[in-house]
Amino acid sequence: MQKIAIIGSGIIGITLANYLDTTKYDITLFDEGNGQATKASAGIISPWLSKRRNKRWYRLAKDGAAFFQKLVTDMNISNDIYAQNGTILLRKNGLESLATLAEQRKRDAPEIGEIKLLSSNATTNKLPLLAPQESLYISGGARLDGLHYLDYMKKLAAQKQIHFISEKVTLEKENNHWQINTPNQQMSADRVILAAGPNCKTLLEPLGYQVDLRPQKGQLIVFKTSQTQSVNWPVAMLDNEADLIPANNGQVIIGSTHENEEHWDLHPTTAAFEQLTTNSKDFLQFPESLLKNSFSYRVGTRAYTSDFAPFFGPLTEEPSLLVASGLGSSGLTTGPYIGYLLANYINEGTWPDTDYQKPLNTYIQK
Ligand SMILES: Cc1cc2nc3c(=O)[nH]c(=O)nc-3n(C[C@H](O)[C@H](O)[C@H](O)COP(=O)(O)OP(=O)(O)OC[C@H]3O[C@@H](n4cnc5c(N)ncnc54)[C@H](O)[C@@H]3O)c2cc1C
């Protein structure tokens, strides 16, 4: 049986592992369990009205959002992990042109669902946390609870006899196989998949590669409230870099910061609290009532390339080494689909003929 090592069990690694053919492969997942972006994430799956102009990224994100229907069925994912409750978009100006864009995009992304301009009262009715203001609602938007997704998919993987090793890994090539080293053990593998977020750079550099990747710190705050209906509420994308995500058990998340100078730091800061609450206050119905609840922080590290686009696939000169990283702030949306595409490639040798990314050597060179 071919031995496969997956380094990193974030959203890419764990989804990939669950789609691999366990009758053909002996699979081990390694994760040092630190700073996982997936665990920290806000959870919004709603890429269609992004201001980004990168067409390859948009195709990937749109197809990634559509892929959730298959993922939910294949893996039997419950509503408390993935819920398609819609998205509310708030804009001081330009809601009509946003609605027009949504109608255009819906032609090849029917998952957008119903598109509706909401009056002030209708906005508050849909999401009572919001102050009365006009908005755009799209029914296809969803939220994914990254932490619970990982827990659930890990259980599924364990049932499929996939092994887990919770240690930090370094990688070496010896003759025709890969050597995976941890502080306590060594394992050899025929194939390796690096799904280690920004750490793909650290793992590839000792093998002689230059990698275009950098870490970015992201923080969000999670309020505990008594809002029992929050589980059915849509997410809201506010007009100024802040989002409001009602979650399970009355939790309400306000996210996220994008801190480029903080690199790998995982400490929560009061500056992040100030920034996020200041940016969201004007949009909230009773800010003082929400913000007085007890809260906790979540902090994670995103991976970015210079052109903010993800990359994934086998290295040309080392086809037994596959990589996937650079998912930035939309990796919950694109990550499961990337994991699935990589699994298909390993299982069947098939690769999508859609142009989702620049050539891999744009980001990784020897
Ligand atoms: C605050 C925040 C909010 C976000 N909100 C959203 C959102 O609303 N919507 C959205 O689509 N995306 C969002 N994202 C982005 C998304 O979370 C990430 O892009 C995605 O989770 C990346 O997944 P990944 O599998 O590539 O990496 P990760 O989830 O980071 O997993 C990589 C894993 O590799 C492991 N690892 C690294 N090096 C080693 C090593 N040497 N040995 C062993 N293990 C190693 C790490 O421990 C880690 O667990 C958000 C991110 C953050 C930080």
Side-chain angles (χ1 to χ4, degrees), residues 6-15 29-47 57 68 142-144 146 150 165-171 180-182 194-200 202-203 216-221 237 243 245 253-258 264 266 298-304 324-336 338:
I6 303 172
I7 303 176
S9 69
I11 199 154
I12 301 177
I14 197 71
T15 312
L29 263 165
F30 293 86
D31 200 306
E32 63 176 323
N34 208 341
Q36 196 157 259
T38 308
K39 268 191 200 165
S41 59
I44 300 182
I45 312 294
S46 193
W57 171 82
F68 273 91
R143 68 167 170 79
L144 177 74
L150 292 181
I165 297 182
S166 304
E167 289 193 75
K168 187 181 174 106
V169 160
T170 57
L171 187 63
I180 293 102
N181 306 309
T182 76
L194 293 185
N199 249 348
C200 286
T202 329
L203 284 153
Q216 184 199 64
K217 179 178 180 182
Q219 304 189 57
L220 45 77
I221 35 181
M237 299 172 87
D243 299 316
I245 303 108
I253 301 169
I254 299 181
S256 313
T257 65
H258 294 79
W264 299 98
L266 284 175
R298 281 201 225 146
V299 191
T301 314
R302 306 180 185 94
Y304 272 100
S325 186
L327 275 56
S329 56
S330 52
L332 282 199
T333 313
T334 57
I338 289 174

Side-chain angles (χ1 to χ4, degrees), residues 36 176 180 208 231 361:
Q36 196 157 259
N176 280 335
I180 293 102
V231 67
N361 65 10

Side-chain angles (χ1 to χ4, degrees), residues 157-211:
Q159 286 162 16
K160 296 173 186 166
Q161 315 304 325
I162 292 170
H163 319 287
F164 285 88
I165 297 182
S166 304
E167 289 193 75
K168 187 181 174 106
V169 160
T170 57
L171 187 63
E172 285 174 83
K173 179 93 193 262
E174 277 190 10
N175 303 319
N176 280 335
H177 65 267
W178 295 98
Q179 191 71 34
I180 293 102
N181 306 309
T182 76
N184 295 308
Q185 52 195 303
Q186 283 198 327
M187 191 192 111
S188 75
D190 303 292
R191 247 196 255 222
V192 172
I193 299 108
L194 293 185
N199 249 348
C200 286
K201 183 179 171 93
T202 329
L203 284 153
L204 283 167
E205 279 177 348
L207 301 170
Y209 291 96
Q210 288 175 339
V211 187

Side-chain angles (χ1 to χ4, degrees), residues 61-307:
K62 159 183 90 62
D63 290 354
F67 171 70
F68 273 91
Q69 295 313 317
K70 175 170 168 54
L71 178 71
V72 163
T73 310
D74 290 348
M75 302 294 161
N76 200 16
I77 290 172
S78 62
N79 201 42
D80 56 346
I81 296 177
Y82 173 81
Q84 206 167 14
N85 295 336
T87 309
I88 290 182
L89 294 109
L90 301 176
R91 291 280 180 283
K92 294 221 166 69
N93 303 301
L95 276 178
E96 283 80 11
S97 57
L98 203 61
T100 309
L101 177 67
E103 294 291 354
Q104 283 163 5
R105 295 237 157 125
K106 191 175 165 177
R107 285 182 210 139
D108 66 346
E111 311 71 43
I112 290 182
E114 185 194 2
I115 300 164
K116 210 170 167 183
L117 284 164
L118 299 183
S119 67
S120 297
N121 284 344
T123 301
T124 307
N125 284 343
K126 271 256 183 260
L127 181 50
L129 297 170
L130 292 175
Q133 61 214 290
E134 290 179 352
S135 69
L136 178 69
Y137 170 75
I138 53 176
S139 67
R143 68 167 170 79
L144 177 74
D145 185 329
L147 179 60
H148 288 137
Y149 178 79
L150 292 181
D151 286 348
Y152 175 73
M153 295 291 273
K154 197 169 172 181
K155 280 186 198 127
L156 277 192
Q159 286 162 16
K160 296 173 186 166
Q161 315 304 325
I162 292 170
H163 319 287
F164 285 88
I165 297 182
S166 304
E167 289 193 75
K168 187 181 174 106
V169 160
T170 57
L171 187 63
E172 285 174 83
K173 179 93 193 262
E174 277 190 10
N175 303 319
N176 280 335
H177 65 267
W178 295 98
Q179 191 71 34
I180 293 102
N181 306 309
T182 76
N184 295 308
Q185 52 195 303
Q186 283 198 327
M187 191 192 111
S188 75
D190 303 292
R191 247 196 255 222
V192 172
I193 299 108
L194 293 185
N199 249 348
C200 286
K201 183 179 171 93
T202 329
L203 284 153
L204 283 167
E205 279 177 348
L207 301 170
Y209 291 96
Q210 288 175 339
V211 187
D212 172 15
L213 266 182
R214 65 180 165 84
Q216 184 199 64
K217 179 178 180 182
Q219 304 189 57
L220 45 77
I221 35 181
V222 186
F223 290 95
K224 274 192 186 159
T225 75
S226 52
Q227 304 279 5
T228 46
Q229 321 92 304
S230 63
V231 67
N232 298 315
W233 283 339
V235 298
M237 299 172 87
L238 313 182
D239 196 12
N240 53 0
E241 301 278 309
D243 299 316
L244 188 67
I245 303 108
N248 300 329
N249 306 323
Q251 290 184 345
V252 176
I253 301 169
I254 299 181
S256 313
T257 65
H258 294 79
E259 300 168 61
N260 287 315
E261 306 310 319
E262 304 302 324
H263 306 290
W264 299 98
D265 177 58
L266 284 175
H267 293 97
T269 61
T270 47
F273 181 88
E274 288 304 322
Q275 180 194 323
L276 293 168
T277 51
T278 306
N279 285 354
S280 51
K281 250 182 202 152
D282 289 350
F283 297 94
L284 299 174
Q285 168 86 306
F286 301 114
E288 54 297 331
S289 144
L290 174 65
L291 303 179
K292 78 171 191 321
N293 287 292
S294 66
F295 68 92
S296 56
Y297 289 90
R298 281 201 225 146
V299 191
T301 314
R302 306 180 185 94
Y304 272 100
T305 58
S306 302
D307 65 359

Side-chain angles (χ1 to χ4, degrees), residues 47-61 101 105 303-310 326-331 334 363:
W48 307 284
L49 302 178
S50 162
K51 291 176 188 149
R52 290 180 65 172
R53 287 161 187 241
N54 182 332
K55 290 193 173 135
R56 292 188 180 97
W57 171 82
Y58 177 71
R59 271 194 288 274
L60 180 68
L101 177 67
R105 295 237 157 125
Y304 272 100
T305 58
S306 302
D307 65 359
F308 306 97
L327 275 56
S329 56
S330 52
T334 57
Y363 309 100

Side-chain angles (χ1 to χ4, degrees), residues 332-351:
L332 282 199
T333 313
T334 57
Y337 186 50
I338 289 174
Y340 169 74
L341 294 177
L342 290 173
N344 269 353
Y345 174 74
I346 295 170
N347 289 338
E348 323 273 356
T350 51
W351 194 247

